[in-house]
Amino acid sequence: MPFDLPDLPYPATALEPHISAETFGFHHGKHHKAYVDKLNAAVAGTDYENQPLDAVIMASHEAGDTAVFNNAAQAWNHTFLWHSMSPEGGGAPSGALADAINERFGDLAGFREAFKNAAMGQFGSGWAWLVQTGEGLEIVSTGNADSPLTSGLVPLLTLDVWEHAYYLDFQNRRDAYIDAFLDSMVNWAFAASNYDAGRAAA
Ligand code: MN3
């Protein structure tokens, strides 16, 4: 099997009371695992089998191989999501990323408002992202499995707004889930490392 389900970067109880171990049991143990399993089945015996996951996302998107793309992108998105949250999360960014956020959004409150609007405004299933463009930072949302990678954007942070991400803990209150992410879980250190790597590669 070319692709593995990565372990969570923290214990399944680490984000309680916001995200329960029960949610991680389904979200990581069932949903994320199913994307990896279906991806492995879809790429078996194809040219995708020996490529890194991000290359599979780009190539399957280009080729219109929807089953490969959806499962590859969802495998990637979920691994990125686990790292976008941390038991030491919340608070404020620092360093160059903080400067870029202030430049683009005015201040951290401006970022929060824009991120929450994008996450609330994504109709149905999808993702909210902080990304780096050629010009600076942007907030985007994507539907279903779609990834900013196929638009040439560098993801810095994401939040899953599929109902499976929050329904056990927040029921229909997507706004409370987004607030908990921004208040207590968002992993600014991860975003800063992605930002520094993106600038070094640009
Ligand atoms: Mn999900």
Side-chain angles (χ1 to χ4, degrees), residues 91-154:
S94 59
L97 177 61
D99 295 342
I101 283 182
N102 291 337
E103 183 177 329
R104 174 64 183 82
F105 303 105
D107 55 18
L108 185 60
F111 161 80
R112 288 177 59 113
E113 182 180 6
F115 189 90
K116 187 170 180 178
N117 285 343
M120 286 299 291
Q122 174 56 42
F123 183 78
S125 295
W127 300 82
W129 306 83
L130 175 64
V131 300
Q132 185 178 356
T133 75
E135 306 296 315
L137 302 183
E138 288 295 342
I139 289 168
V140 298
S141 61
T142 59
N144 297 320
D146 285 349
S147 165
L149 296 175
T150 59
S151 303
L153 304 171
V154 178

Side-chain angles (χ1 to χ4, degrees), residues 1-7 28 32-37 39-40 43 49 51 53 71-72 75-76 79 82:
M1 289 298 154
F3 300 105
D4 294 320
L5 177 68
D7 290 335
H28 176 259
H32 192 181
K33 181 177 189 300
Y35 295 125
V36 173
D37 289 347
L39 174 63
N40 281 323
V43 301
E49 203 169 27
Q51 298 179 30
L53 186 55
N71 288 294
W76 193 100
T79 300
W82 310 140

Side-chain angles (χ1 to χ4, degrees), residues 27-28 31-32 35 74 77-78 81-82 126-127 160-165 177:
H27 200 184
H28 176 259
H31 290 278
H32 192 181
Y35 295 125
Q74 284 294 78
N77 291 350
H78 282 87
L81 170 69
W82 310 140
W127 300 82
D160 188 345
V161 296
W162 288 57
E163 282 190 344
H164 69 218
Y177 163 67

